[in-house]
Amino acid sequence: MLYRIEGIVIRSTDYGEGNKILTLLTDKAGKVGIIARGAKKARSRHSSIAQPFTYGEFVFFRSSGLGTLNAGEIIESFHRLREDLDLAAYASYAAELCDRALQDDEAGEFIFQQLKACFMGLAEGKDPEVTVNLFEMKILETAGYAPELDVCVSCGNEEGPVRISVQAGGTLCRRCWSRDASALPVSDGALKLLRLFRRLDMRRLGSIQVSVETKKQLKAVLRSFFDTHMDLRLKSRAFLDQLDRMNQQADAPLRERRSLYDDGK
């Protein structure tokens, strides 16, 4: 059967001497695997549309198993996400989350639209950490593991302060903290953002200024939910963490110079 479907390339793997196997996240057919013959060759008509993160219209034939790409038209190449190392790391993480965290029947139009909006946000210069944190929440929601953040999951109390129990699946009020000694403390700002992430569609994300400490709390909470409930081992996440450490080390001398300057005033 011949298919004509909009999709985003979330994985591109070399196959044989000149071919690539593409994994697409599509708007109507979930995740789809297709062979792009000759796509490794620079002059191939499929070489551009087979690039990671490319959003396009794909025409392919499939009876069972992998399809075969007949034609494709690029709608948005997202070339900036491939050219910038930091953006490539964040985009790769978002793409691998879709590939590894979701079953085919979970990868519907909603998450397709969220990934497209995530890539657009990264390409437009929105804070990459916040953008990917919001996308992580959309993945948790789709997979059925999003935290309950509005009431205490133990007693239903709506009053703060709260901690977040990953094991229990959401917030615990002060009276219930003892039920989980490993519950994570969160500031009011971090909790407010997590609640916003539960309600906010990626397509409505604007520019948000978030402190370094709040970002650390968001990362700790969301990573803990993934590690506890989904147990993923993502190469892109390991690389992203390595890149973060390198950037922090590079920024350290600048922070020291600023400190010396401030002390000398």
Side-chain angles (χ1 to χ4, degrees):
M1 181 179 293
L2 193 66
Y3 295 84
R4 182 185 296 270
I5 294 176
E6 288 189 11
I8 299 171
V9 178
I10 58 174
R11 181 154 51 97
S12 180
T13 306
D14 292 345
Y15 179 69
E17 292 187 2
N19 310 319
K20 286 182 178 290
I21 295 178
L22 310 181
T23 301
L24 309 177
L25 181 68
T26 72
D27 61 339
K28 294 182 176 66
K31 290 187 293 184
V32 174
I34 60 175
I35 297 176
R37 299 195 183 281
K40 286 173 62 176
K41 300 175 182 178
R43 295 185 178 181
S44 168
R45 62 193 178 97
H46 296 326
S47 61
S48 296
I49 202 165
Q51 295 295 314
F53 319 138
T54 300
Y55 165 45
E57 184 179 65
F58 297 81
V59 181
F60 58 92
F61 178 84
R62 185 176 68 167
S63 56
S64 63
L66 291 173
T68 301
L69 182 65
N70 286 19
E73 181 177 351
I74 295 174
I75 299 173
E76 175 57 65
S77 69
F78 290 117
H79 62 88
R80 187 184 175 199
L81 303 186
R82 295 188 295 274
E83 296 168 354
D84 183 287
L85 181 60
D86 286 15
L87 294 181
Y90 283 102
S92 295
Y93 175 58
E96 193 176 8
L97 273 180
C98 290
D99 190 25
R100 296 279 307 282
L102 302 178
Q103 301 298 319
D104 288 352
D105 59 348
E106 294 173 327
E109 183 176 3
F110 171 77
I111 204 65
F112 168 80
Q113 295 293 344
Q114 299 305 292
L115 179 64
K116 185 171 69 170
C118 177
F119 283 175
M120 289 182 66
L122 292 173
E124 290 169 358
K126 294 176 182 176
D127 189 308
E129 292 175 86
V130 174
T131 301
V132 168
N133 285 159
L134 176 54
F135 186 69
E136 286 177 316
M137 185 66 84
K138 300 302 115 179
I139 291 287
L140 288 172
E141 289 175 7
T142 303
Y145 295 112
E148 167 57 61
L149 300 168
D150 293 323
V151 298
C152 174
V153 294
S154 179
C155 70
N157 180 27
E158 299 181 9
E159 302 298 325
V162 302
R163 292 180 180 175
I164 296 181
S165 170
V166 178
Q167 296 291 344
T171 52
L172 292 175
C173 68
R174 185 190 295 272
R175 292 178 302 186
C176 299
W177 285 355
S178 60
R179 294 181 178 273
D180 184 359
S182 64
L184 301 171
V186 288
S187 65
D188 290 343
L191 181 61
K192 182 179 179 180
L193 277 175
L194 287 168
R195 286 172 172 166
L196 176 64
F197 290 170
R198 282 299 314 267
R199 300 190 300 269
L200 186 65
D201 189 298
M202 288 285 319
R203 290 168 286 188
R204 296 177 56 204
L205 176 64
S207 297
I208 303 177
Q209 299 295 323
V210 180
S211 69
V212 173
E213 184 57 36
T214 298
K215 287 181 179 180
K216 289 180 180 178
Q217 293 184 20
L218 295 175
K219 181 177 179 178
V221 170
L222 292 165
R223 289 286 182 88
S224 294
F225 270 87
F226 276 107
D227 292 345
T228 300
H229 298 293
M230 305 189 76
D231 192 27
L232 300 173
R233 298 289 186 270
L234 304 183
K235 293 181 180 179
S236 58
R237 192 176 103 170
F239 178 74
L240 187 59
D241 290 345
Q242 182 181 15
L243 192 63
D244 284 344
R245 289 192 294 270
M246 291 171 59
N247 289 337
Q248 289 172 9
Q249 291 172 359
D251 289 342
L254 178 60
R255 290 195 298 269
E256 290 176 1
R257 289 197 297 271
R258 286 174 176 170
S259 176
L260 290 172
Y261 177 77
D262 292 341
D263 290 344
K265 283 187 175 181

